[in-house]
Amino acid sequence: RRRIILICGSMIGFLLLSAAWSLAVVSGTLHAPLTVNPAFLGVLLVMSYELGGDILRAVQLAKSLSVSEAHLRETEQRMDMAVRGAGIGLWSRDLVHEDSWVSETGLRVLGFGPGEEWDRARFYERMPEADRKVLQSAISAALSGDGEFNTEYRIIGSDGRIRWIMVRGQAEFDEKRTPLRMRGIVSEITERREAESQL
């Protein structure tokens, strides 16, 4: 509102000054060229001030955004190094568009070979049927409950080795409790399960 009043008010004022200038030149009161009217200089100054302020604000916002992006990249790199060092994979599943993603470490944990693309159908095919039911039951419980997801299952890697996997995660909902996405971590617990089975 302030900007509108300033620009429109200044234009009206400078138009009145321009009209007075033209009348003074035509009546002979003022000896100056009719085509030169200093009133328009005021309009240009006001518009330049307003536009210059916008440009300065845009530059400041661009700098702030650049700094924020640098901090975000650094945080992502630290998190990636931490999960890789711990042998933990990250995963997410978009329940609206039925799209899934698994990090590189996660693919290795799940037994997917180098260069092997992630595919949810292939993932389920590599699971024993009983484990597939356990996983799907845990997903259903998370989506109908508080969203917390926690289970263990077996999967056969591309090398033919059976791996025990622990998966943890959380479902996210909109305000109507419609499930939007799930995300979490996976880690291999084969050694622990084999040790437990020998007790």
Side-chain angles (χ1 to χ4, degrees), residues 88-92 135 147-153 165-171 182-187 189 192:
I88 296 171
L90 304 177
W91 61 269
S92 67
L135 178 59
E148 189 174 344
F149 181 65
N150 181 354
T151 193
E152 297 175 1
Y153 58 85
I165 304 298
M166 177 191 71
V167 60
R168 303 279 186 271
Q170 184 70 39
M182 297 180 76
R183 66 181 86 216
I185 61 168
V186 290
S187 59
I189 56 167
R192 190 199 84 193

Side-chain angles (χ1 to χ4, degrees), residues 26-55:
V26 170
S27 66
T29 308
L30 183 65
H31 298 290
L34 190 59
T35 53
V36 177
N37 195 327
F40 286 108
L41 181 61
V43 175
L44 289 174
L45 289 173
V46 170
M47 304 263 312
S48 298
Y49 170 76
E50 286 298 318
L51 292 174
D54 285 345
I55 291 169

Side-chain angles (χ1 to χ4, degrees), residues 115-180:
E116 191 176 2
E117 290 186 20
W118 165 254
D119 182 89
R120 200 161 70 242
R122 192 179 303 139
F123 165 70
Y124 280 118
E125 285 170 7
R126 292 182 176 181
M127 296 176 69
E129 188 175 347
D131 293 72
R132 195 180 313 137
K133 288 179 180 176
V134 167
L135 178 59
Q136 289 170 343
S137 176
I139 292 171
S140 297
L143 297 179
S144 61
D146 63 359
E148 189 174 344
F149 181 65
N150 181 354
T151 193
E152 297 175 1
Y153 58 85
R154 291 169 296 169
I155 191 166
I156 303 167
S158 59
D159 56 2
R161 185 168 71 87
I162 296 176
R163 302 159 185 256
W164 273 100
I165 304 298
M166 177 191 71
V167 60
R168 303 279 186 271
Q170 184 70 39
E172 297 174 18
F173 306 89
D174 65 11
E175 61 280 355
K176 297 178 182 177
R177 287 285 302 166
T178 303
L180 299 177

